[in-house]
Amino acid sequence: MTRPPIPAAVGGTALIVLMAVLPLLNVRVPGILPGATYQPGALSLLALCMVFAALALSYNLMLGTAGLLSFGHALAFGAGAYGLGIVLERTGLSLWSALLVTLVGCFVVAQVTGAISLRVTGIPFAMVTLAFAQAASVLVRRNPWGSTGGDEGLSLATAQVPEWMVGVANTRNLYWVTLAMLVLVYAVVVWIDRSRVGHVAAATRENELRVRVLGIRPYAAKLVVFTVAGVLASLTGAVYLLLQSGTVPRVVSADLTITILVMVVLGGVGSRWGVIVGAVVYTVLNQRLSLLAHSDTVESLPAVLRVPLSEPMFILGTVFILVVMFFPGGIAGAARTTTRTRTRREGRDESPLAESAA
Amino acid sequence: MTSTPGEPVLAVEHLRADIDGQQVVEDVSLTVPSSGVTAILGRNGVGKTSTLRAILGLIHRTGDIRLAGERIDRLPTHKIVQRGVGYVPEDREVFAKLTVAENLRLAVRTAQPRHDLVDALFPDLVGRRDQVAGTLSGGQQQMVSLARALVNDNRILLVDEPTKGLAPRVVLEVTDALEEAAKTVPILLVEQNLDVVRRLAGPAIVIEGGRVVHTGDATALLDDADLTTRLLGVHGDISSEVAR
Amino acid sequence: MSTVVLLAVTGLGLGALYFLVASGLSLIYGLMHVLNFAHGSFLTLGAFLGWMVAQRIDATSWLGFAVSMLVGAAVGALVAALTELVLIRPLYERHIEQVLVTVGLSLATVALFEGIWGSDARFIRGPEWLDRTTSIAGAAIPNDRFVVIAVAGVVLVAIVMFLRHTRYGMIIRAGVENRAMVTALGIDVRRSFTLVFTIGGAAAGLGGVLASHYFGYVSPSLGGSLLIFAFIVTVIGGLGSLTGAAVASVLVALLQQFANYYLSGTGDFVVVLALAAVLLVRPTGLMGARA
């Protein structure tokens, strides 16, 4: 927050440029990227990281800015992925028109679910959003009118998608599309955070009563934030569909919401760059841990160690618990403390969630 | 439980307290003598209630708080209360879904609860033991709240606006009960009704903006019309039947 | 007619399972304002360990069945108490962090169960009588339904008696209303936190054993699937209200069963619609006093 804006902007631009030219370079990061950065394998992983970074940013808008603990963010993401998939398959629209139709639909979904769930706050809000997402998850698995493909999932109808986006050979192009999407999501999130609505939502998180006393209705601001976060997540979901050439029911499940939550908390709630780092670390770690699970080292361990270590979610869940209990600021908080060890800080600054809990 | 005469039962120095990061008590120092009623006065929202809640540890606070010489500012609320503090909160806070008897039973901390005293002070409650407290009148709820504090042998009572919103007859009854109680236990009283203050209080402390702005004798303060108007924004004239 | 009876009794049985999960969730939320995502894991662990012990004794004997219920309840209670002491208590009053910790625990434990027992469902057996049916008004009703309903009824009565007639029960009731005032009466309210977790965990563990007989299998995801409906039940019933949880459990399960049968498998949506309707009309739930 207190970083001077100009160097940050310069750093950000430099990072975007670097990410943009990466597919043209031959960079190898052993242990993290599978192969060189001009190859499809590494680019897919990087693009997936960026999808989750954008998704984490949209979630952080709700939790970090407005203090809304939603367990239904997967609904928005899944609506984008399945929505675009279904519109493409059923209407024969071109990709861009289909995307527009999908996002309008997702806007309506976010408005309706937000309008109802925001009638309650705090923990009840979390439960209600969870229930909505669960309904969507069941709907997707039931495969109504053969539209979602049930447990099998839905594959991308490639006929209407521009040729330069289809196939492994064009991973590079999809990578650039994803990067553009991430930059767009970031820009919108910054814009909302700095807007009046963002300020009202943030003030409501700190002290709802004080906002009410000023004659401002926090409900409207929260609904705007909820809707924007939802539409951004849907956009992310649509790009995910393109990237993966399809989608599976897991993207609408509570598991996905929890995954995003883990990323955001790991990175540091309320810190935009923190949640991006969190998303990248999580995505890479998840993939690496799966490889570790089947490695010879782990296979040769006694059962007491082998069983837990061969379950990536066990390790990630445990890391998550430890972060919540001992590093409440996540990666961003830890970075802040190490860079400013001499500045004495009050305990509550370390815990951005404490105030939104009431 | 009585302290050595002369030594204050409660001594508070440089108390600061906040609620959700908002400072509600800036700097309060006060002492409560080992007998009689000490009043905390001041306009609405200056931090009187917060001062009591901070002493009890119900809100986040710093400062030096001693009960009969022992530091209590690091203790959790229940341990402070167990050391002999009775609390009668603003708005009574009886457990509405529990019966009168259950409200009292929860409060009892000693082997010999003073049920006789409570029954004598609040005869109204005797026949209502099995009534759910939420269905009592405001005055009766206040009596339950006072009874919860009086049923134990305490070193001090912290009483917050016990006459707020009550009918004049009930105000009189509550005031009588407090006067009777003050014979056996020192009381720190937050009160807006200045007639009640005039009748009960010895020393008075005036709080403004979270700080103590005046300490002195209550009657002397209320007799000084200028001072009363300046500090409390009201006249201290005797106006009702409460002050005899 | 016989279909209606079958649906009603099956619905009551499912409602009984929901209640065994929701009762703990509601008490925990009411007293501590903690949303416990790990509650499903208490259930799953109770089911697995109950089944393992039953197998050791003789899964088809009544003794095995009875012991498995006891083991399920004991395991649920123990793990829940540990969860409160080790994970929840250090984060005192930080409600969102407390929720997050239970989310992490649920992730880690479900993964651990998958590592130990595999992710596929294991089909289980009980005393032969449970698999038979009893005819009521022409409907052939599986006997395990009656057991589930009876046990949930006993648990409901036991919890109500405990809350009404013991000092700790009184503290819990008072704490649900106004926790700060309980501490201001000199009572260490944190002890009752561990207690509600223990009670809730026992009910969930017991529910796990019964759920495995109701559905005929155990799997690492058994708890999670029941948990979501239990959440809906607690919101509809009014957070913190045990009676609300009991009433809403039955209503939600019946609604689900009848909608599944008469409205072509739409039970889950109808339930979520009901939740939305309750929130629009009465955001605090059927029996909730305050949000």
Side-chain angles (χ1 to χ4, degrees), chain A residues 50-316:
Chain A
M50 291 193 289
V51 164
F52 282 119
L55 191 54
L57 275 173
S58 71
Y59 190 83
N60 184 51
L61 191 60
M62 271 205 286
L63 182 60
T65 302
L68 296 170
L69 178 65
S70 163
F71 278 97
H73 212 50
L75 170 58
F77 184 78
Y82 274 98
L84 182 62
I86 292 168
V87 171
L88 279 176
E89 195 177 86
R90 296 289 161 112
T91 63
L93 288 172
S94 75
L95 175 64
W96 305 111
S97 321
L99 182 62
L100 191 68
V101 170
T102 304
L103 289 182
V104 169
C106 293
F107 171 83
V108 174
V109 170
Q111 274 279 310
V112 172
T113 53
I116 294 173
S117 21
L118 285 168
R119 286 180 63 84
V120 285
T121 54
I123 301 298
F125 171 82
M127 291 193 186
V128 174
T129 49
L130 175 68
F132 277 122
Q134 189 57 25
S137 173
V138 172
L139 185 68
V140 163
R141 282 180 196 278
R142 284 270 162 86
N143 193 13
W145 307 287
S147 59
T148 62
D151 285 336
E152 297 298 306
L154 186 69
S155 44
L156 180 64
T158 45
Q160 295 102 288
V161 179
E163 210 172 302
W164 56 270
M165 277 193 185
V166 182
V168 180
N170 288 317
T171 306
R172 214 161 62 163
N173 296 335
L174 281 170
Y175 169 91
W176 279 319
V177 168
T178 313
L179 178 63
M181 184 267 306
L182 174 59
V183 172
L184 176 69
V185 168
Y186 188 90
V188 173
V189 165
V190 170
W191 175 56
I192 293 290
D193 269 344
R194 292 189 183 161
S195 71
R196 190 183 140 74
V197 164
H199 290 308
V200 172
T204 308
R205 180 195 73 210
E206 301 286 335
N207 190 335
E208 174 144 1
L209 194 65
R210 229 186 301 173
V211 174
R212 285 182 188 280
V213 168
L214 293 173
I216 301 166
R217 284 184 65 223
Y219 179 85
K222 284 196 269 188
L223 185 56
V224 171
V225 169
F226 186 97
T227 310
V228 172
V231 172
L232 290 180
S234 300
L235 174 66
T236 316
V239 172
Y240 176 84
L241 173 84
L242 296 173
L243 198 63
Q244 303 284 311
S245 301
T247 176
V248 287
R250 207 191 91 82
V251 305
V252 213
S253 68
D255 285 358
L256 184 86
T257 303
I258 288 174
T259 305
I260 310 166
L261 186 60
V262 174
M263 292 171 181
V264 169
V265 172
L266 200 65
V269 177
S271 162
R272 283 187 294 264
W273 68 266
V275 303
I276 293 177
V277 173
V280 172
V281 167
Y282 180 97
T283 312
V284 171
L285 214 56
N286 194 18
Q287 204 175 63
R288 289 290 120 182
L289 288 174
S290 307
L291 293 177
L292 172 79
H294 303 292
S295 70
D296 295 339
T297 333
V298 168
E299 296 284 353
S300 63
L301 288 171
V304 191
L305 291 173
R306 191 191 67 231
V307 169
L309 286 181
S310 60
E311 292 292 334
M313 284 322 286
F314 175 79
I315 299 173
L316 285 167

Side-chain angles (χ1 to χ4, degrees), chain B residues 8 13-14 19 29 33 40 56 58 61 63 68-69 71 75 80 86 101 103 118 138 160 166 169 208 215 217 220 240:
Chain B
E13 271 177 53
H14 302 303
I19 300 171
S29 298
I40 297 184
L56 274 168
L58 284 168
R61 83 292 198 203
R71 285 285 293 258
L75 295 178
I80 296 176
N103 265 279
V118 168
D160 197 351
L166 299 183
R169 186 188 55 79
E208 176 90 60
T215 309
D217 181 71
S240 78

